[in-house]
Amino acid sequence: MKQNGKHKSNLYEYLDTSGVLDTGSDEAIEKARKEYWKKYKAHWRKQKRQTEKELTTSWTVDELKDLTKAARHHNMSRVAFIKSATIAYTHKAFIVPDKTGVQRIAQLLAMNYNLLQEMIDQRTFPLLSGKPILDRIEELEKAVLVSLNSPKTFEQIVTDAIQSKPHLKQSLYQLLETLP
């Protein structure tokens, strides 16, 4: 609905329909406004419960301290961290401790790539020298982003090391035998 070229809000419609705008005092309008938001939030929660399920957990004081510390380390709220950590665990993925930092690194690499490409296009940097550098920046960007977003597990690191240097397997066995 439009009134004087402006769209009526649902709140205004509610207040107008209830008649409080015509006959009510400031207190009555405020009371009606609070009632509207109460109904609105109840409806919103009901709709949300139909599409999403909510879980409740209990935490000991020590568990809560650990959770809070981990969430702060990842620049997240505790609830966001719980959800991210759970989903990452089920997908055998990694939670990036500082998404903003990773995005900044990606941005800097892309800016360097673009700057060099622009210099090549403007012929201020020779194509024969610039092409290999562009390729290396692109490889570096891929490698860095993969390492930061989904680093290898300890098992993957050990497996890769043994595959590239088979003699390490024997050294690893000897090391493990000496552990208590």
Side-chain angles (χ1 to χ4, degrees), residues 53-155:
K53 299 302 171 198
E54 190 172 300
L55 304 174
T56 304
T57 60
S58 298
W59 300 79
T60 66
V61 173
D62 290 338
E63 290 169 338
L64 192 58
K65 284 180 186 176
D66 291 343
L67 172 65
T68 302
K69 183 178 176 183
R72 283 186 185 146
H73 176 71
H74 287 81
N75 296 320
M76 298 174 148
S77 70
R78 291 183 296 209
V79 173
F81 178 75
I82 291 167
K83 186 172 183 177
S84 295
T86 303
I87 291 171
Y89 181 82
T90 58
H91 291 109
K92 296 182 179 167
F94 180 78
I95 301 175
V96 178
D98 185 5
K99 285 185 180 182
T100 307
V102 171
Q103 290 169 344
R104 182 69 181 140
I105 290 169
Q107 182 182 31
L108 290 171
L109 287 167
M111 287 170 59
N112 284 321
Y113 182 91
N114 292 338
L115 177 62
L116 186 57
Q117 183 65 56
E118 187 179 314
M119 291 171 68
I120 291 170
D121 292 345
Q122 293 175 354
R123 301 187 195 285
T124 58
F125 198 89
L127 177 63
L128 288 174
S129 301
K131 182 67 175 132
I133 296 171
L134 283 175
D135 292 343
R136 289 292 288 160
I137 291 174
E138 195 171 345
E139 288 173 26
L140 179 63
E141 183 177 13
K142 287 177 187 174
V144 166
L145 293 179
V146 166
S147 294
L148 291 174
N149 285 312
S150 55
K152 292 182 179 182
T153 64
F154 176 73
E155 291 82 6

Side-chain angles (χ1 to χ4, degrees), residues 41-56:
K41 289 175 185 176
H43 176 72
W44 179 83
R45 280 191 299 271
K46 183 177 180 182
Q47 294 296 105
K48 189 168 172 96
R49 280 193 301 271
Q50 290 177 353
T51 58
E52 297 179 17
K53 299 302 171 198
E54 190 172 300
L55 304 174
T56 304

